[in-house]
Amino acid sequence: MGAINLKMLLESQSLERAPFPVPVGWYFIDYSENLKPGELRNIFVFGQEWVLFRSESGKPGVTDPYCPHLGAHMGHGGKVCGEHLRCPFHHWEYDTEGNCKAIPYAKVMPPITKKGPILRALPTVEKYGMIWSWYHPACEEPSFELPYVPEIEDATGYTGSRRGSWSANTCIQEIAENGVDVAHLKFLHNAPIIPPVEATYNGPTMRINIGQGYIVGDSYGPGLNVMRFTQKDPVTGKAITATMLSYTVPVSHDKSQMNMSFRHVDFPAGTPELAFTKKQIDHMIGAAEGEESAGFESVDFIVWNNKRYRPNPLLCDGDGPIFPFRKWFKQFYVEKPKLDDASA
């Protein structure tokens, strides 16, 4: 028996499933169609509860649930009044930016209400037919914007209503790391080869190119990935691209909700191109008919739900660029501010 490396042999006893806070970024909250004007409900994301509401004119808001006045939960008995969220306890009203706009019995509004928001409200926009909120533990404004994605924003040319949502008992970084871990495609997904991969980084964005154009993925922070799969249709000989939008949400620091939309060129009904691109999408998710390789739904959750994060993994020459990916992802981790009397 060789020399004993206790650090390597015993490290697993101290490993955590997710030793990270919730990362900074834009995140999917819900589909626009699911929130009607005047509606409010409670949601749980980013490790806490929030109130999601839509004003009467249609503007969405996501706020901390506890009223700054006396701490009543505005998601239980609260109401949307015009453009404001109204607390059930004393009817204080807040706009979608967290500003106190009305206190029905106050002759003089507290001076702090004139300086800025007093209720935490997440910057929230609607894009791609979805509601998105910006999360930052220190309440900083967005440092980048969501991109233009023609497949889901253009009025014509593309179609596809297929969606999916899956829970994973791990952090969002572990899920995203799969993109550069190309070796697992052969051994977990039964792909015929380990494809080459290139990854490039530019601020909050990352582009991966797997298999020299077979999969090209663009990440915009932790919360949005646009993956384009291009294959040659054996019937027509044409190169056809299908698109997967992946928008995972951190429910907490160690639980993630994966959400996906699938889009493709609006080929005419009954054409071989349409049949092929639908098979492409089947392949992304599970196992397409007549294929031995498996999509993420079939195999990845077995790993994600039971693994622990190794901060010092033992890698070999066949592994993908895991360390550069982790270095890029690290920028999205920000410690929560330490509050004292001076900042109150």
Side-chain angles (χ1 to χ4, degrees), residues 6-334:
L6 284 177
K7 183 178 185 300
M8 176 62 68
L9 298 181
L10 300 180
E11 185 183 40
S12 68
Q13 297 178 15
S14 62
L15 295 179
E16 299 177 60
R17 185 167 66 184
F20 307 107
V22 174
V24 169
W26 285 103
Y27 294 105
F28 167 80
I29 298 297
D30 204 344
Y31 299 102
S32 295
E33 69 214 36
N34 293 340
L35 188 66
K36 307 304 180 188
E39 182 180 353
L40 70 81
R41 64 175 176 271
N42 300 316
I43 61 172
F44 192 98
V45 289
F46 318 136
Q48 71 162 80
E49 200 170 29
W50 306 82
V51 176
L52 168 66
F53 71 99
R54 190 187 289 282
S55 74
E56 295 292 352
S57 71
K59 190 174 182 180
V62 177
T63 75
D64 188 275
Y66 301 106
C67 181
H69 177 216
L70 286 172
H73 193 302
M74 294 185 287
H76 294 280
K79 185 178 180 181
V80 176
C81 295
E83 298 306 292
H84 305 152
L85 174 63
R86 191 180 74 183
C87 176
F89 203 10
H90 298 85
H91 287 195
W92 288 37
E93 295 184 13
Y94 304 90
D95 64 14
T96 56
E97 283 74 47
N99 297 293
C100 183
K101 306 301 288 186
I103 303 174
Y105 56 91
K107 295 179 180 178
V108 180
M109 297 277 284
I112 194 173
T113 64
K114 301 182 183 302
K115 295 179 180 179
I118 61 170
L119 174 69
R120 185 179 185 183
L122 302 181
T124 300
V125 300
E126 290 194 85
K127 198 169 175 67
Y128 324 125
M130 307 172 193
I131 299 167
W132 293 78
S133 288
W134 171 263
Y135 175 80
H136 192 290
C139 303
E140 292 185 11
E141 290 297 308
S143 57
F144 63 92
E145 299 301 321
L146 291 167
Y148 162 65
V149 181
E151 289 94 328
I152 202 163
E153 293 190 81
D154 286 3
T156 60
Y158 300 95
T159 190
S161 58
R162 191 167 180 179
R163 297 171 178 167
S165 187
W166 304 263
S167 294
N169 291 325
T170 190
C171 61
I172 196 169
Q173 179 179 325
E174 287 277 63
I175 295 171
E177 191 169 284
N178 262 26
V180 294
D181 178 14
V182 289
H184 91 285
L185 296 176
K186 175 175 175 61
F187 301 104
L188 184 65
H189 293 266
N190 296 321
I193 62 168
I194 300 175
V197 60
E198 295 179 358
T200 55
Y201 307 92
N202 182 18
T205 65
M206 173 183 72
R207 167 165 283 199
I208 59 171
N209 185 332
I210 300 174
Q212 298 176 325
Y214 167 52
I215 302 174
V216 177
D218 292 298
S219 298
Y220 303 90
L224 175 63
N225 297 279
V226 182
M227 310 289 288
R228 296 178 173 95
F229 293 67
T230 302
Q231 289 177 282
K232 183 178 287 187
D233 179 359
V235 176
T236 65
K238 297 179 181 178
I240 294 177
T241 299
T243 302
M244 176 178 74
L245 282 84
S246 174
Y247 35 103
T248 300
V249 184
V251 177
S252 62
H253 81 284
D254 63 356
K255 184 175 182 180
S256 304
Q257 189 69 28
M258 296 177 62
N259 304 287
M260 295 182 181
S261 293
F262 302 89
R263 303 284 288 175
H264 58 84
V265 174
D266 192 8
F267 294 115
T271 60
E273 291 90 347
L274 180 61
F276 181 76
T277 198
K278 286 187 174 181
K279 187 176 181 180
Q280 280 181 304
I281 292 172
D282 287 342
H283 171 79
M284 294 179 201
I285 303 171
E289 185 178 350
E291 295 184 0
E292 294 183 0
S293 59
F296 72 90
E297 188 179 56
S298 305
V299 290
D300 281 309
F301 288 98
I302 298 171
V303 175
W304 285 332
N305 287 338
N306 296 285
K307 80 189 299 290
R308 291 186 178 183
Y309 181 82
R310 280 198 180 271
N312 303 297
L314 183 63
L315 303 180
C316 67
D317 60 342
D319 287 309
I322 289 174
F323 281 135
F325 165 81
R326 290 185 176 185
K327 182 180 179 181
W328 171 77
F329 205 96
K330 189 177 179 180
Q331 68 182 295
F332 304 113
Y333 294 125
V334 177

